[in-house]
Amino acid sequence: DLRRRLNLNLRDEFGELAATFDQMLGRLDAAFRRQTQFTADASHELRTPLTIIDLELNRALTQPHNCEEHRQILELVQSENVHMTNIVNSLLLLARADTGQLTLQRQQVDLSDLALECVERLLPLAREHDIILATGDLPELLVNGDPHYLTRMMLNLIENAIKYTHGSGQRVHVELTAASDKWGMLRVQDDGPGISDEHLPYLFDRFYRVDRARSHNPSTSSGAQKEVGGTGLGLSIVQWIVQAHGGDVHVESQPGKGTLFEVRLPLLHIPASQEALATSTH
Ligand code: ADP
């Protein structure tokens, strides 16, 4: 009888503890949701004034100028406005992802179509940086994914590889492979400066940049369209997109030896031509 009563007491205490814990978690969850909702609302509200500033700056810049300094100031403000718009758009995307307001519009997508499109879109940027942007094998790899977000993920990775690879004639290499009959792999490799070990664990953290001064330096940007990234949010977005598609992303890098980003995505199915290839490699 005593044992039964003790048991009951213990169960009561555990029950109370569990209920308190549950309440605390509930309150924490609600606070987190309010916070992310606030970020989403704030980012959303900021988009309209930023668009108006951009329109007005464009209008001002197309007026005849009698003062070169005046024009340069306007260009600098415009470039900062583009940078701020990028941050706000990225924050809005991440806040919507956090609050579950982002849903993927999935369809059958061929990763090789998207990769080719991204490479073509980024060829002018590569040319501007004097980088050789090359593709390796780009076999047909079908996934059940959202083409808009998958494109965004690829653009972020390739754009990073281009903008952080210094030195003319360096290479950025993009390729696709069937890692197995279930997984497709995107590889973006560069000959850039590489990233040292101490930074690697934080690379996908929001606002994390290895070299803050170099990543965004308005005095060296020569115009609004040329300012690329520097928000520290690009890789967080890449990670969210990849994970939302059931995949994962890894980075391998060594100072002086370049950087490799590998994205693994679940395949919809392997086309017959690739199937033979995938099985012969195992
Ligand atoms: P950012 O907008 O600064 O590019 P990201 O989240 O895309 O933000 O990247 C975070 C940081 O990781 C960058 O600021 C840069 O320091 C580093 N990084 C990303 N890709 C590369 C790369 N291919 N080579 C070297 N460093 C890189």
Side-chain angles (χ1 to χ4, degrees):
D1 191 45
L2 179 67
R3 195 178 285 162
R4 205 171 56 88
R5 276 219 309 273
L6 265 176
N7 246 345
L8 273 179
N9 276 345
L10 268 180
R11 239 183 268 152
D12 281 356
E13 273 174 29
F14 273 129
E16 256 174 51
L17 209 65
T20 319
F21 197 60
D22 216 43
Q23 265 180 7
M24 274 164 58
L25 276 183
R27 284 219 296 274
L28 265 177
D29 191 50
F32 177 73
R33 284 187 173 278
R34 272 200 305 277
Q35 191 64 41
T36 36
Q37 190 57 49
F38 172 78
T39 314
D41 293 345
S43 316
H44 184 72
E45 291 303 318
L46 280 169
R47 267 156 42 120
T48 312
L50 286 172
T51 310
I52 295 169
I53 293 171
D54 190 54
L55 286 173
E56 291 304 318
L57 281 168
N58 270 327
R59 214 158 61 94
L61 275 163
T62 50
Q63 307 290 317
H65 286 277
N66 42 17
C67 169
E68 178 59 14
E69 201 189 343
H70 185 197
R71 198 185 58 78
Q72 279 177 3
I73 293 170
L74 282 179
E75 276 184 359
L76 186 69
V77 175
Q78 191 182 42
S79 134
E80 287 303 290
N81 196 53
V82 168
H83 182 60
M84 191 147 67
T85 308
N86 284 341
I87 297 179
V88 164
N89 285 338
S90 299
L91 270 180
L92 183 60
L93 189 152
L94 287 167
R96 281 183 174 158
D98 285 343
T99 47
Q101 294 169 42
L102 249 186
T103 43
L104 298 178
Q105 307 291 318
R106 286 183 188 257
Q107 54 182 270
Q108 178 174 311
V109 198
D110 179 0
L111 291 180
S112 68
D113 286 344
L114 301 188
L116 263 180
E117 189 196 316
C118 292
V119 168
E120 267 163 31
R121 274 172 69 176
L122 290 171
L123 275 174
L125 184 74
R127 242 175 259 133
E128 197 183 297
H129 286 246
D130 208 5
I131 299 285
I132 302 162
L133 176 57
T135 53
D137 278 349
L138 292 179
E140 181 185 88
L141 292 177
L142 299 180
V143 298
N144 180 26
D146 185 322
H148 168 75
Y149 287 110
L150 289 173
T151 302
R152 172 100 195 233
M153 175 273 288
M154 291 185 186
L155 286 176
N156 281 5
L157 289 177
I158 305 170
E159 203 175 296
N160 271 354
I162 295 171
K163 71 185 188 189
Y164 294 113
T165 298
H166 308 279
S168 57
Q170 305 274 53
R171 278 165 62 92
V172 169
H173 195 255
V174 180
E175 68 171 21
L176 287 171
T177 44
S180 70
D181 55 351
K182 293 202 176 67
W183 297 96
M185 181 87 89
L186 166 76
R187 285 201 179 88
V188 179
Q189 182 145 31
D190 66 58
D191 289 345
I195 304 160
S196 55
D197 273 355
E198 78 218 65
H199 295 292
L200 291 178
Y202 310 107
L203 223 54
F204 295 93
D205 288 359
R206 292 175 191 187
F207 293 111
Y208 192 82
R209 283 177 283 156
V210 172
D211 183 347
R212 305 202 75 163
R214 195 185 58 200
S215 296
H216 177 68
N217 187 349
S219 60
T220 57
S221 73
S222 48
Q225 300 311 316
K226 286 181 186 165
E227 174 59 58
V228 274
T231 64
L233 294 169
L235 288 178
S236 312
I237 291 174
V238 164
Q239 192 178 47
W240 180 82
I241 294 171
V242 173
Q243 289 177 350
H245 282 84
D248 47 48
V249 52
H250 289 108
V251 56
E252 269 174 38
S253 190
Q254 263 183 46
K257 296 223 169 116
T259 303
L260 166 69
F261 280 92
E262 282 186 334
V263 172
R264 233 166 42 118
L265 289 168
L267 291 174
L268 193 57
H269 75 267
I270 289 218
S273 56
Q274 284 295 308
E275 213 154 33
L277 203 83
T279 45
S280 72
T281 55
H282 284 276

